[in-house]
């Protein structure tokens, strides 16, 4: 029995020893074999990657950050330049001024109703007695024709009607037209002298009281001259009114005319002098100088206007001094005209707002008062509503 137990113990020990040897041999073999576990590495950073050979199949190498930012920085500046070019006003080419008054004749409808149609109605009565002639005189005076011109016109009409026995509407209309044209003066030179025969630019001063539309008239006059083939420089000598220079510059840009301006509140004579100097340098035909509005009762301001003219004449004589009058002011406009004529030699008159008044006779009275012709009339607020004055076309528009 003891031998059996001893044999079992020996067998168990032998099995355990053999098992241990087998396991130990397997571990040693596993340690001697090279490892098959993959190595995990971080992806190479962009700043440390080797640039020598780009990865196969890549579309294009990534541009450096600095190169990518350069076009972005330039794009806004390019867009601004495009916007500025688009914002610049397009240069306009006004239509020639010949016949412009004929095209605008409908604008005189109010004056036509009072002066033209009123007179024709009175003259067409069956009996032209003293009461009728007094009504004719009253109509003419109401239309601002003036006392002297009214008396002359009535006397001539009475004589011709009596002698000729004119009675039909067409005959009366023709008779009245002849007498009105004669009063206005068909042979008077109404040319705006915008070109000098001996070279150099002609200088035109635009003067008048506050509120008559001098700056607008100057801009419209620039369009008139450009339409007739003149090259123009504008002088913004109204340095007292806010935005006057900006307003004039806008008018100039629309027709391609250069505007000379100075600081706000600066010396207007200096601006006028520089404008003429610029006109000489550019070789233009005409320099238009817009002066500040001034009350005709202010002696100091009127003296300053005389200074502007004297300073400009250092370059040469002034060719035109155009007085702008508001046609709606009637007899008050004549008072203004007289005072301005004492300070500067007025050579021509511009009547504005003639489309808004029933007093077309001011054309006759202002000419007789000053002895200078009406050269331009304003018949609206449009850019091309300033027309050269033509006596025949004006009377035809009044009579309808």
């Amino acid at each position: 029995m003891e031998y059996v137990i001893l044999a079992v113990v020996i067998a168990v020990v032998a099995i355990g020893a053999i098992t241990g040897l087998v396991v130990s041999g397997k571990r040693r073999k596993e340690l001697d074999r090279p490892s098959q576990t993959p190595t995990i590495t971080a992806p190479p950073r962009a700043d440390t990657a080797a640039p020598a050979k780009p990865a196969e199949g890549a579309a294009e190498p990534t541009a450096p950050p600095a190169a990518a930012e350069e076009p972005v920085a330039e794009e806004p500046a390019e867009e601004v330049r495009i916007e500025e070019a688009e914002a610049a006003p397009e240069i306009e080419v006004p239509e020639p001024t010949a016949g412009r008054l004929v095209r605008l004749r409908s604008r005189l409808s109010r004056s036509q109703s009072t002066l033209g149609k009123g007179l024709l109605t009175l003259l067409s009565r069956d009996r032209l007695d003293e009461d009728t002639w007094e009504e004719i005189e009253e109509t003419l005076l109401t239309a601002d024709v003036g006392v002297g011109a009214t008396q002359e016109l009535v006397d001539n009409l009475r004589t011709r009607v009596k002698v000729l026995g004119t009675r039909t509407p067409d005959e009366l209309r023709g008779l009245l037209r002849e007498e009105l044209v004669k009063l206005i003066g068909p042979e008077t030179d109404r040319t705006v002298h915008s070109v000098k025969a001996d070279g150099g630019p002609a200088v035109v001063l635009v003067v008048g009281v506050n509120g008559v539309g001098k700056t607008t008239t100057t801009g419209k006059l620039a369009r008139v001259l450009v339409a007739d083939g003149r090259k123009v420089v504008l002088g913004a000598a109204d340095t007292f009114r806010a935005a006057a220079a900006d307003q004039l510059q806008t008018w100039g840009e629309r027709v391609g005319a250069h505007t000379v301006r100075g600081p706000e509140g600066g010396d207007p004579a200096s601006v006028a002098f520089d404008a003429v100097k610029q006109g000489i340098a550019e070789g233009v035909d005409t320099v238009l100088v817009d002066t500040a509005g001034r009350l005709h009762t202010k002696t100091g301001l009127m003296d300053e206007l005389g200074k502007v003219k004297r300073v400009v004449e250092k370059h040469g004589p002034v060719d035109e001094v155009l007085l702008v009058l508001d046609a709606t002011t009637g007899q008050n406009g004549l008072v203004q005209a007289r005072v301005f004529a004492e300070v500067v030699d007025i050579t021509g008159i511009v009547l504005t707002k003639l489309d808004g008044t029933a007093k077309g006779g001011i054309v006759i009275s202002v000419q007789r008062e000053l002895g200078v012709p009406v050269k331009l009339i304003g018949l609206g607020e449009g850019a091309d509503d300033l027309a050269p004055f033509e006596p025949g076309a004006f009377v035809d528009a009044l009579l309808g």
Side-chain angles (χ1 to χ4, degrees):
M1 189 66 181
E2 293 178 355
Y3 290 110
V4 174
I5 294 171
L6 181 60
V8 171
V9 171
I10 292 172
V12 171
V13 171
I15 292 170
I18 293 170
T19 301
L21 290 174
V22 172
V23 172
S24 176
K26 288 182 178 180
R27 287 180 179 174
R28 188 178 297 111
K29 288 181 181 180
E30 290 176 359
L31 293 172
D32 293 338
R33 252 183 336 192
S35 175
Q36 298 296 322
T37 305
T39 304
I40 300 175
T41 59
R45 293 183 300 173
D47 55 351
T48 58
K53 188 175 182 181
E56 185 176 354
E60 289 183 3
T62 303
E69 293 174 359
E70 290 177 359
V72 176
E74 294 176 356
E75 286 179 0
E78 185 176 350
E79 290 176 0
V80 169
R81 287 194 297 270
I82 291 174
E83 290 176 359
E84 289 177 352
E86 292 176 351
E90 183 179 352
I91 295 179
E92 303 172 9
V93 182
E95 295 183 5
T97 59
R100 182 179 288 186
L101 180 54
V102 175
R103 296 193 296 271
L104 297 172
R105 61 188 300 170
S106 62
R107 308 289 179 85
L108 290 168
S109 58
R110 296 185 183 181
S111 293
Q112 179 189 100
S113 298
T114 298
L115 183 57
K117 292 182 179 179
L119 289 177
L120 288 174
T121 299
L122 292 171
L123 289 171
S124 300
R125 288 181 178 178
D126 294 335
R127 184 164 177 259
L128 294 177
D129 54 15
E130 288 299 321
D131 291 339
T132 302
W133 287 112
E134 287 182 4
E135 288 184 54
I136 292 174
E137 287 187 8
E138 185 178 348
T139 300
L140 291 169
L141 292 172
T142 303
D144 277 338
V145 173
V147 176
T150 295
Q151 191 62 53
E152 180 181 338
L153 178 60
V154 170
D155 289 345
N156 290 341
L157 284 173
R158 293 185 71 163
T159 301
R160 296 188 67 177
V161 168
K162 184 176 181 179
V163 172
L164 300 175
T166 303
R167 299 301 300 169
T168 66
D170 288 342
E171 289 174 336
L172 288 172
R173 185 186 184 283
L175 188 62
L176 181 58
R177 182 187 187 280
E178 290 179 14
E179 293 301 326
L180 286 173
V181 170
K182 186 189 301 183
L183 278 179
I184 294 174
E187 305 301 327
T188 304
D189 180 16
R190 302 179 188 277
T191 305
V192 177
H193 297 100
S194 56
V195 178
K196 278 188 175 178
D198 57 352
V203 179
V204 179
L205 292 184
V206 182
V207 303
V209 300
N210 295 311
V212 296
K214 285 187 313 306
T215 301
T216 299
T217 298
T218 305
K220 290 182 179 181
L221 178 55
R223 294 179 65 87
V224 168
L225 296 178
V226 170
D228 292 338
R230 307 285 187 259
K231 294 182 180 179
V232 178
V233 162
L234 299 173
D238 184 355
T239 59
F240 301 120
R241 184 170 66 87
D246 292 336
Q247 182 183 355
L248 189 63
Q249 183 170 343
T250 300
W251 279 103
E253 288 173 349
R254 292 171 65 179
V255 292
H258 180 217
T259 301
V260 177
R261 54 190 297 177
E264 186 174 343
D267 182 12
S270 175
V271 176
F273 181 87
D274 290 342
V276 178
K277 182 179 179 181
Q278 184 68 32
I280 295 172
E282 294 186 12
V284 301
D285 299 305
T286 315
V287 177
L288 292 177
V289 180
D290 175 35
T291 62
R294 56 201 75 236
L295 295 174
H296 58 286
T297 56
K298 298 294 184 181
T299 305
L301 292 175
M302 296 302 289
D303 290 343
E304 187 178 71
L305 179 60
K307 174 189 173 184
V308 171
K309 185 173 184 289
R310 290 193 302 274
V311 169
V312 168
E313 286 178 334
K314 293 181 179 179
H315 289 295
V318 172
D319 299 88
E320 287 275 9
V321 179
L322 298 177
L323 174 63
V324 181
L325 293 176
D326 183 342
T328 63
T329 60
Q331 296 299 314
N332 187 45
L334 299 182
V335 176
Q336 299 170 12
R338 282 195 292 268
V339 177
F340 274 91
E342 293 172 0
V343 178
V344 289
D345 295 326
I346 305 297
T347 60
I349 301 163
V350 182
L351 280 175
T352 63
K353 306 177 186 179
L354 199 57
D355 60 316
T357 178
K359 300 181 178 182
I362 192 174
V363 171
I364 299 172
S365 57
V366 73
Q367 288 188 149
R368 293 172 70 98
E369 179 70 29
L370 296 182
V372 295
V374 172
K375 294 191 172 184
L376 298 156
I377 57 174
L379 294 168
E381 297 180 357
D384 294 321
D385 289 343
L386 185 70
F389 184 73
E390 304 169 34
F394 178 74
V395 172
D396 287 339
L398 288 182
L399 298 180

